[in-house]
Amino acid sequence: MTSAEDELVIAERVLCGLVNGLSRQIEEHVRVRATKLDLTGPQATALRELTGPMTMRELAERMSCEPSNATFVIDKLEKRGLVERRPHPSDRRAKQLVLTPEGEVLREQLLKLLTEESPLAGLSRDEQDTLRDLLLRAVPGGSH
């Protein structure tokens, strides 16, 4: 390898380590905040990602998990009266996930908690926007 190739390999390794580290910090941040609302980390992630009616497949994609895992999480939230499954308006084979009024209230509380001492809080709004834009370029189809 040439020294330029070595530098690229090192830069890639460092960048991957930083992205993985940030991901772990965010997961831990979500988990800690979730416990304050008697939620698990995956339940909090599901509530955060339920920005409107969506299918289980859409939610699983947003949660970066398999639909069966999202189903397990939604089953628990449904038992707590936070989420309902409703018929899909245009696909009779599918169901849409919709937050109940209680789920909406809890989601708002969660979103407020997640902004407190966030791993991204040290970045300005412009820096967060730049990071988002760079990650969208690096992760095709990664936008929600």
Side-chain angles (χ1 to χ4, degrees), residues 64-97:
S64 300
C65 70
E66 294 296 319
S68 61
N69 291 342
T71 298
F72 177 79
V73 171
I74 290 299
D75 286 347
K76 300 291 185 195
L77 294 174
E78 189 175 37
K79 284 180 184 167
R80 285 185 59 180
L82 302 172
V83 176
E84 293 177 347
R85 289 174 168 99
R86 294 184 183 162
H88 192 283
S90 60
D91 182 352
R92 64 186 185 140
R93 297 168 299 165
K95 297 281 186 193
Q96 278 192 323
L97 304 172

Side-chain angles (χ1 to χ4, degrees), residues 38-57:
D38 197 29
L39 296 166
T40 65
Q43 288 170 345
T45 299
L47 284 177
R48 181 189 68 206
E49 296 302 328
L50 274 167
T51 57
M54 66 183 65
T55 65
M56 191 69 72
R57 184 168 303 285

Side-chain angles (χ1 to χ4, degrees), residues 124-142:
S124 71
R125 184 68 200 162
D126 285 344
E127 289 169 329
Q128 289 182 24
D129 289 345
T130 299
L131 178 59
R132 180 203 60 230
D133 293 345
L134 291 169
L135 290 172
L136 285 170
R137 285 179 45 202
V139 183

Side-chain angles (χ1 to χ4, degrees), residues 94-111:
K95 297 281 186 193
Q96 278 192 323
L97 304 172
V98 179
L99 291 173
T100 63
E102 296 84 3
E104 292 277 355
V105 168
L106 190 63
R107 182 176 187 274
E108 287 302 315
Q109 292 171 349
L110 173 67
L111 293 177

Side-chain angles (χ1 to χ4, degrees), residues 4-17:
E5 289 173 326
D6 287 343
E7 287 178 24
L8 283 174
V9 168
I10 291 168
E12 173 109 358
R13 181 184 56 77
V14 169
L15 189 55
C16 288

